[in-house]
Amino acid sequence: MADAKSTLELVAATVQVLSVVSGVVISVLSFNSTRQKEAEARALEAAKPFHDLRRSVYQRTIKAAATVANPDGHTAAEVAKARQDFRELYVAELAMVEDAQVEGAMVAFARTVDPKLIDLTPSQLAALKLAHALGASYTSQASLKP
């Protein structure tokens, strides 16, 4: 009988230890999951200004592209302004926020509607490189973990 009692006590003690260990493991996993979700939320919040700027620049770019691509129904002055806006966006603001796919599409569009749009002066090329560098710097800074 003494052996049965000690076996029962041993099983009970083992169950207690396993329960405590399981509780600690679950608590640690829950804590880590919460911290990870908070970090993801902070990263999304940090990237929001960049995404808002990107959306705004994309909207202005597509408006200029639509006018350039569809000159009928627009005055010559509107088309000329749209071409100027398109080039300025391409050389600076858009270059800061665009990804590689958008950059390729911009070049292809310009080649189709007016190849002179991508014939850049040295100062325009320097502005384009600066905008790319600023965009790369911004996105790498926004992705840093606090």
Side-chain angles (χ1 to χ4, degrees):
M1 237 340 128
D3 287 333
K5 185 176 179 186
S6 64
T7 302
L8 186 58
E9 289 174 349
L10 182 61
V11 168
T14 302
V15 168
Q16 286 178 335
V17 169
L18 289 175
S19 296
V20 170
V21 169
S22 296
V24 169
V25 168
I26 289 171
S27 295
V28 168
L29 292 175
S30 176
F31 177 75
N32 285 341
S33 175
T34 301
R35 287 196 64 201
Q36 184 177 4
K37 287 178 183 175
E38 289 172 353
E40 289 169 1
R42 283 192 306 272
L44 285 174
E45 189 63 30
K48 189 177 183 316
F50 181 80
H51 292 296
D52 290 345
L53 175 61
R54 177 182 273 175
R55 183 180 314 110
S56 172
V57 172
Y58 280 6
Q59 287 172 337
R60 290 174 38 220
T61 302
I62 199 62
K63 185 174 186 214
T67 302
V68 171
N70 300 291
D72 296 339
H74 296 281
T75 66
E78 289 172 332
V79 174
K81 172 91 170 88
R83 285 181 190 277
Q84 179 182 351
D85 290 348
F86 182 88
R87 177 175 278 194
E88 288 175 0
L89 286 162
Y90 174 72
V91 167
E93 288 180 81
L94 183 63
M96 189 174 97
V97 298
E98 70 190 355
D99 61 19
Q101 183 179 0
V102 171
E103 182 178 16
M106 287 288 289
V107 171
F109 176 79
R111 282 189 178 131
T112 301
V113 297
D114 185 358
K116 291 182 283 186
L117 287 172
I118 56 173
D119 185 20
L120 304 178
T121 66
S123 60
Q124 290 170 328
L125 188 57
L128 179 68
K129 289 179 181 180
L130 173 61
H132 280 146
L134 290 169
S137 173
Y138 186 85
T139 55
S140 69
Q141 292 297 317
S143 67
L144 292 178
K145 306 247 187 225

